[in-house]
Amino acid sequence: MINKERLLRDNRLCKAIIGLSVEELKNLAAEFSACYLIYRKKNRKDHERQMGAGQKGFIPTPLDKLLFILLYLKCYPTYDLQGLLFGLDRTRVCRWVKILLPVLEMTLGRLC
């Protein structure tokens, strides 16, 4: 698993890994979190359970999700490597990429 705390302490490392400074990442994470909730509500099928019920995701926080998709876009690793870095199976990596790319596009569209 990627050491998120170390990444958020070292500005040079953050720029090298995902292409953003720590300050830019934190600003983007706040907007990304809001867009992720909007995306989940919009693309939710009719379920009996409440939002947030059920099994918890393998990428726990919105910041982790943002790091996941930014690293994927900057380095373009295989699904196997991305899964190794984040502790996921390659099929789950594929699912998360398909979910998080539209969220990031929505986030960047709102910021522009």
Side-chain angles (χ1 to χ4, degrees), residues 50-80:
Q50 294 293 322
M51 187 85 151
Q55 185 178 7
K56 300 304 174 212
F58 292 97
I59 306 175
T61 66
L63 180 60
D64 292 327
K65 289 172 176 59
L66 182 59
L67 287 173
F68 176 89
I69 198 65
L70 289 176
L71 177 74
Y72 177 79
L73 290 174
K74 181 159 191 300
C75 300
Y76 198 62
T78 62
Y79 289 158
D80 292 312

Side-chain angles (χ1 to χ4, degrees), residues 16-27:
I17 300 294
I18 60 170
L20 297 173
S21 68
V22 174
E23 183 73 26
E24 292 169 332
L25 178 65
K26 288 180 180 178
N27 292 337

Side-chain angles (χ1 to χ4, degrees), residues 9-66:
R9 282 192 313 256
D10 190 349
N11 201 36
R12 187 202 59 78
L13 182 62
C14 192
K15 284 184 180 181
I17 300 294
I18 60 170
L20 297 173
S21 68
V22 174
E23 183 73 26
E24 292 169 332
L25 178 65
K26 288 180 180 178
N27 292 337
L28 187 61
E31 188 68 27
F32 182 83
S33 178
C35 288
Y36 181 71
L37 288 175
I38 292 168
Y39 178 83
R40 288 284 313 259
K41 288 178 183 176
K42 186 192 289 186
N43 293 319
R44 191 162 187 254
K45 298 175 185 165
D46 293 329
H47 290 281
E48 294 178 14
R49 292 184 181 177
Q50 294 293 322
M51 187 85 151
Q55 185 178 7
K56 300 304 174 212
F58 292 97
I59 306 175
T61 66
L63 180 60
D64 292 327
K65 289 172 176 59
L66 182 59

